[in-house]
Amino acid sequence: MQSLKLGGTAAAVSDVQRARLTSRKTTRSGEHSLVDISRKAQSGLCFSASTRPVSQTAAPSSPGRQQQHFPVRREVSNYRAFSVVRLLRIEQGGAYADVLSQDGEHAWDRELDYVARTLGFRTAALDPQGQRQVTEIVAGITRWKRYVDFLIKSYYDPHAYDRMEPLLRQILRLGVYELVKMGTPPHAAVNETVKLAKVALRQGAGALVNGVLRTISRDQARGELLEPKVEGDSRSQARALADLYSHPVWMVRRWLCRFGRSETIALMDWNNKPPTYSLRANSARRVSRKSLLETLNELNVISEPSSVLEDFVRVSGGLQAVIRGGLMQRGLCSVQDESGGLVVKVIDPQPGDIIIDCCAAPGGKALNMAACLQKEGKDLFYHCRHKFPMVDILKMKLAVFNLGAGKVFAVDINKGKLSLLQNAAIHLGVDDVVITECSDLCSYADRHDLLADKVLVDAPCSGLGVLSKRADLRWRKTSTELEDMVNLQSILLRSAARLVKPGGVLVYSTCSIEPEENHGQVYNFLGCHREFKLESVEGYVPKTFVTREGYFASLPHLHNMDGAFAARFVRMRV
């Protein structure tokens, strides 16, 4: 592909060529660098064209440190400035898009400092609408990065783009994304992006951005926008589809072999859409789905009842309003995808069960199981209190809960995430049911003689079933990592099997749609563990989720939820 394809107009070619020459500022070594940024961002994200960031995330200034004063540039669009800094943090600093988007209100104040130290100026603070714009833009650009880069390289020298300073690259991505995916009016997308490039970098950078964006805008208006051509052999077609739908080539090739072209495109389409989220009404505090829907309506959150789970609600438009409303803090609900709730249905927690969740963090399934056990105990308590009003309440509670509640032992190797799980258990009112232990599973199985009624191995996996929610995950995973995950899963499943009592249940689950991590693990496990047999999940989940082999499986593009898998084994009695 030629480096400059500008719709055939000489004026367009000269615009970009002139802009490219003007934008270059060379150091003594001949390398392009963000001269202004590396000078201004003394304690923040300092980038050059050829180096990684000095610090992965710019920490706020400490009280004893001399405060820097930056000019306020109100003419610059604040949400665009926030967006490019977030994109830098994700690509250069290793931050995670989904983690940044779920941070609370205090995080936005910190980001004002990140923006100032990275760009060298301050902007106006963001209102809630601006915060939503940043979250949506950053996730969108992260998802569509490969396609956006294809367009930029089609209208600009691809080799120069690969060497381009990181901040300028993010600014260009922002402008192109606004034009081709957000439908922002061209004059606004071009003028505001050019202004940001000039103020954050230099006049020449603004000229380059202006030339590229105006050429793309002209071709788009004429219906002549350059697109990947899906033609040639299977490798060429996979590469073109990867560009067109913005996924890694190795993923596309796997899915084409397994699903075929139309279903692969449907899956990639789902992954590129803004995600939908689900909330679980907290039955442990006797919160009904109806009351949760009413509360969400008062917060102007668009929601609807789940069609597959009685305690679940689907919400549209993200979780910011739910977080600001304090619903999780008050223990009214927790965030959990419906696919995770269906895995809990496969486990089928019953009163008095001893359950071990072997890879418990971040805790969605452990807390759901605990709520099931707690609800059974509380229902029994209220029934007994009604039938026997003269019995001492405290004695009745002790007798009933000891009889009916059961326990969930939450085991994980990540101490920080286990701490978050404990705090969530307190908010949800299930801390008397959940017992946490920080340990790797192999050591835990060696140390404990406990044989549980039910054991869940929600194994670490590639996560290729949750690409809609985790926008940057597709760019972090490799086919080699998938092979490593398969080996780890096998070890964890073998260790967990030692914790199941005769007649007990072992459930293996992932949030992956890849056969090696799912069906392959089941086949290998049963070949080595004759004391276990596979039990169909039919009767535990709706039939549409039951595979021919009796597994639970959800596919994003078919079931409109995260991709997940679960197999239910029963340990035979001797």
Side-chain angles (χ1 to χ4, degrees), residues 2-6 13 16-17 20 153-157:
Q2 296 178 357
S3 60
L4 286 172
K5 299 180 180 177
L6 305 175
V13 175
V16 175
Q17 289 176 332
R20 188 187 306 150
K153 289 179 180 181
S154 299
Y155 289 91
Y156 181 67
D157 181 352

Side-chain angles (χ1 to χ4, degrees), residues 428-459:
L428 295 170
V430 294
D431 49 307
D432 55 341
V433 179
V434 177
I435 299 171
T436 60
E437 181 168 341
C438 185
S439 173
D440 72 89
L441 182 56
C442 298
S443 300
Y444 183 86
D446 289 337
R447 290 196 311 271
H448 291 273
D449 296 326
L450 173 68
L451 292 180
D453 299 289
K454 284 156 187 174
V455 175
L456 169 64
V457 185
D458 188 33

Side-chain angles (χ1 to χ4, degrees), residues 328-344:
M328 274 85 81
Q329 194 74 14
R330 289 150 54 194
L332 302 182
C333 63
S334 62
V335 180
Q336 186 178 18
D337 191 76
E338 290 165 292
S339 62
L342 289 167
V343 171
V344 172

Side-chain angles (χ1 to χ4, degrees), residues 454-473:
K454 284 156 187 174
V455 175
L456 169 64
V457 185
D458 188 33
C461 65
S462 64
L464 298 193
V466 296
L467 296 184
S468 173
K469 285 190 174 68
R470 298 185 59 186
D472 52 337
L473 186 63

Side-chain angles (χ1 to χ4, degrees), residues 230-242 252 256 261:
V230 185
E231 58 188 15
D233 60 17
S234 59
R235 286 177 176 270
S236 299
Q237 290 186 35
R239 187 169 296 278
L241 287 169
V252 177
L256 285 172
R261 180 166 166 176

